Amino acid sequence: MARTTRRATVRALLDLYGRTYADEAGIRLTDTPQPLYRLLVLAGLLSARIRAGVAVAAARELSAAGLRSPRAMAEATWQQRVDALGRGGYRRYDERTATQLGDGAELVRTRYGGDLRRMRARAGGDLGEVRRELREFPGLGPAGVDIFLREAQAVWPESAPYFDAKTLQGAALLGLPDSPARLARLADGTDPSVLAAALVRVALDKHAVAAVEEAAAGR
């Protein structure tokens, strides 16, 4: 595929699907404690075998219930967490997830004083160390770690461009390069977190490839 066609494909991709999951969940991501914690919660919800839309809705319900900080999450009752997850349609995993959210909130409080920026500082720019520390959160496996870092690269630029296996799966479906650096260049300055989210949406939606290709052809 020619370079111009690839650029057209990326522009069409971004026009159609260029929205981060944090934005969809109502999280205005900044390098401050509360948005980073809410992103951690969202990453855990998205990593379960459940539709992304349901996970996002559950994250919004937790926020609406006031559970936006480690302290609020830890001090909420287990039933309050279950109820918020249920209102978002997150019913299959609600009881286990409610427990994990409480335990994870306590870990953020005790280890990092409620501030995930301390995890970043403690890692000293070592992305592998950040990944290891994230894996210690209940329910946050490799997929959840990737989700967190895909979105967090918007405010933690030392990890950018962060394109994990799911992102590269979307790129392959569109005939785009499998090199993170080359993908980032094709996006012409678009935040890599936005490009990563768009590629993941393509990987998850069997109709997305045709939609992108049709939009790119019309350019």
Side-chain angles (χ1 to χ4, degrees):
M1 185 179 294
R3 178 182 295 273
T4 53
T5 304
R6 283 177 169 174
R7 287 190 182 278
T9 297
V10 171
R11 292 317 311 168
L13 167 71
L14 292 171
D15 287 346
L16 290 171
Y17 301 107
R19 187 184 188 190
T20 65
Y21 286 95
D23 182 61
E24 187 179 347
I27 303 170
R28 190 172 70 84
L29 193 59
T30 56
D31 189 25
T32 51
Q34 189 177 108
L36 289 170
Y37 172 68
R38 291 176 65 193
L39 175 60
L40 181 71
V41 169
L42 176 63
L45 296 174
L46 283 166
S47 65
R49 297 191 179 203
I50 199 163
R51 288 188 299 109
V54 172
V56 167
R60 295 183 74 96
E61 288 295 337
L62 287 166
S63 177
L67 309 184
R68 304 184 191 95
S69 68
R71 178 176 179 177
M73 187 69 77
E75 293 182 353
T77 67
W78 177 83
Q79 191 61 53
Q80 286 172 322
R81 296 192 292 267
V82 168
D83 290 346
L85 291 167
R87 289 193 295 273
Y90 205 91
R91 296 186 178 87
R92 182 177 176 187
Y93 303 100
D94 55 352
E95 295 186 358
R96 182 182 68 184
T97 300
T99 299
Q100 291 172 339
L101 286 171
D103 293 343
E106 286 292 356
L107 182 57
V108 177
R109 294 177 75 186
T110 57
R111 183 173 296 181
Y112 306 112
D115 187 349
L116 289 171
R117 293 176 301 179
R118 295 183 181 181
M119 176 181 66
R120 180 190 184 193
R122 197 157 86 172
D126 183 342
L127 189 59
E129 182 59 30
V130 172
R131 291 183 62 85
R132 283 189 289 274
E133 297 219 17
L134 285 169
R135 284 292 306 274
E136 295 189 28
F137 284 96
L140 201 70
V145 170
D146 282 335
I147 293 165
F148 180 88
L149 291 172
R150 280 200 313 255
E151 302 268 325
Q153 66 182 318
V155 292
W156 290 1
E158 70 274 11
S159 63
Y162 191 92
F163 298 122
D164 64 315
K166 184 61 72 175
T167 308
L168 296 179
Q169 180 186 342
L173 289 170
L174 293 172
L176 295 172
D178 60 3
S179 160
R182 290 173 66 194
L183 280 171
R185 284 196 296 272
L186 286 172
D188 291 329
T190 297
D191 192 299
S193 66
V194 175
L195 177 57
L199 289 169
V200 168
R201 293 176 192 278
V202 167
L204 295 176
D205 182 353
K206 64 182 180 181
H207 302 295
V209 173
V212 171
E213 290 177 344
E214 181 179 354
R219 288 176 175 269

